[in-house]
Amino acid sequence: MKKVFLMVLLCALTFSLYAQNLPVKMEEMTAPQYVNAVDQSNATCIIPIGVLEKHGPHLPLGTDLIDVREVVLRAAAKEYAIVFPPYYFSQIFEARHQPGTIAYSQKLIWNMLQETCDELGRNGIKKIVLVSGHGGNSSFLPFFCQSQLASKKDYAVVLFQPSRNAEAYKEINKELVPGGSGHAGQSETSVMLAHRPDLVHMDKATSQSGKDQDRIKGIDSDYEGIWWYAKYPNHYCGDGSLATKELGEKILNAQVDELVTMLKQVKADNTILEMQNKFYEQAKHPMDTKQ
Ligand SMILES: [Zn+2]
């Protein structure tokens, strides 16, 4: 009896040690590890999404992805999930006038994301969490999520939408200079300073203006695609020279905490997939839906 107990304990210990040693980066897993990772993560994969675009005169082209992957990797180390490899295919037409912008067509970014999700689904993933590090995706990604209802999927796509309500954000907000944060501004530069200071060229942060140039005037209640260019032609919004490493670390920690909470909830949830399946079934025969 004692022997059996010891054997079970040993097996459990070996299994948990094995799980602890699983990589979080999908590209670093062996195929057998991947099978185990799907199980350990409750079939959850995170796709951190960035883009290649100018970030003021002082931050690297890949800032969005470099930052968002740091947040996601820290979160996945606390709450296990598979992290998809570097993903640079998202919406960035508004920066096509700047050097280093890789603006794939709308069809390509759509198909790339849909086929990536389909392939993850074919490989056992049931929950795909999109975490965007790029503000230019704020229309694309919610529309992409809505469009998953157009045809049956056996996985759910969930977009991380931080509410930034936590106490930590209140502290952070006190430190943000009004008008100083935005694209490559105080907060984004602080985050890069916190984890990749070697990529920050602080001496260049004031070499261009990040002020709102407000070049379309006299129209109320409007939206046009050129709005960002009209305001921030240098593809720079705010003032990166206000950044500090300490503020960056606070922002990173707050984002990681919020993502960890969301990951726990998504991993434990069954209702999204249940609702989807019910919906797809009913959508086949809308005339039979009780009125
Ligand atoms: Zn961006």
Side-chain angles (χ1 to χ4, degrees):
M1 190 64 193
K2 210 173 173 187
K3 238 183 192 169
V4 173
F5 175 74
L6 272 173
M7 284 253 295
V8 169
L9 193 72
L10 203 67
C11 282
L13 211 68
T14 315
F15 184 74
S16 76
L17 273 175
Y18 182 60
Q20 273 170 16
N21 289 332
L22 275 176
V24 290
K25 294 179 181 172
M26 185 176 168
E27 70 272 24
E28 293 184 3
M29 295 172 190
T30 61
Q33 279 179 323
Y34 175 77
V35 173
N36 201 255
V38 171
D39 186 46
Q40 287 299 305
S41 65
N42 277 12
T44 306
C45 180
I46 313 173
I47 310 180
I49 301 179
V51 81
L52 287 165
E53 56 166 341
K54 178 176 174 180
H55 275 80
H58 62 294
L59 292 182
L61 299 171
T63 292
D64 292 345
L65 189 63
I66 295 168
D67 283 350
V68 75
R69 279 184 67 81
E70 181 67 16
V71 172
V72 167
L73 289 170
R74 288 189 191 193
K78 292 185 176 185
E79 182 61 39
Y80 189 75
I82 297 170
V83 178
F84 196 79
Y87 191 96
Y88 278 103
F89 318 105
S90 60
Q91 189 297 121
I92 188 55
F93 296 124
E94 65 274 24
R96 286 182 70 231
H97 63 301
Q98 292 286 357
T101 300
I102 302 297
Y104 297 110
S105 70
Q106 55 274 58
K107 269 188 197 157
L108 184 59
I109 61 170
W110 192 279
N111 291 344
M112 185 69 82
L113 191 54
Q114 190 66 72
E115 290 194 22
T116 299
C117 292
D118 289 347
E119 280 297 281
L120 286 171
R122 199 176 63 81
N123 282 281
I125 297 297
K126 294 284 177 207
K127 293 157 185 182
I128 298 171
V129 178
L130 307 179
V131 182
S132 176
H134 172 52
N137 287 333
S138 58
S139 300
F140 165 46
L141 293 177
F143 182 36
F144 181 83
C145 292
Q146 289 172 312
S147 301
Q148 301 311 299
L149 302 181
S151 62
K152 189 177 184 331
K153 308 280 184 297
D154 54 11
Y155 56 81
V157 180
V158 183
L159 175 63
F160 176 55
Q161 283 203 309
S163 64
R164 307 217 159 112
N165 285 333
E167 271 313 297
Y169 286 111
K170 285 178 196 150
E171 285 302 306
I172 290 163
N173 287 338
K174 278 186 211 157
E175 292 185 42
L176 294 179
V177 175
S181 278
H183 183 74
Q186 186 187 9
S187 52
E188 202 164 27
T189 307
S190 294
V191 170
M192 190 63 81
L193 268 184
H195 74 108
R196 288 299 306 271
D198 55 312
L199 299 179
V200 182
H201 303 267
M202 276 305 247
D203 55 322
K204 300 280 190 294
T206 51
S207 66
Q208 285 193 311
S209 169
K211 284 210 172 77
D212 180 357
Q213 300 193 15
D214 196 20
R215 296 184 295 174
I216 296 176
K217 291 188 178 75
I219 310 174
D220 296 325
S221 318
D222 57 324
Y223 182 92
E224 54 284 310
I226 200 70
W227 74 271
W228 174 265
Y229 174 78
K231 283 175 171 292
Y232 308 106
N234 296 324
H235 215 54
Y236 184 19
C237 165
D239 184 354
S241 72
L242 300 166
T244 65
K245 182 182 177 354
E246 292 69 29
L247 176 64
E249 199 55 52
K250 281 183 201 168
I251 297 172
L252 272 175
N253 288 335
Q255 290 176 343
V256 170
D257 287 349
E258 194 166 2
L259 181 56
V260 166
T261 303
M262 185 258 202
L263 268 180
K264 280 189 181 141
Q265 293 163 342
V266 167
K267 282 173 68 176
D269 176 78
N270 293 317
T271 53
I272 299 173
L273 283 164
E274 264 173 38
M275 284 291 111
Q276 279 191 190
N277 289 337
K278 199 173 170 187
F279 171 83
Y280 293 132
E281 208 41 56
Q282 275 195 292
K284 279 191 214 162
H285 315 283
M287 296 306 281
D288 297 337
T289 301
K290 193 167 178 288
Q291 300 303 305

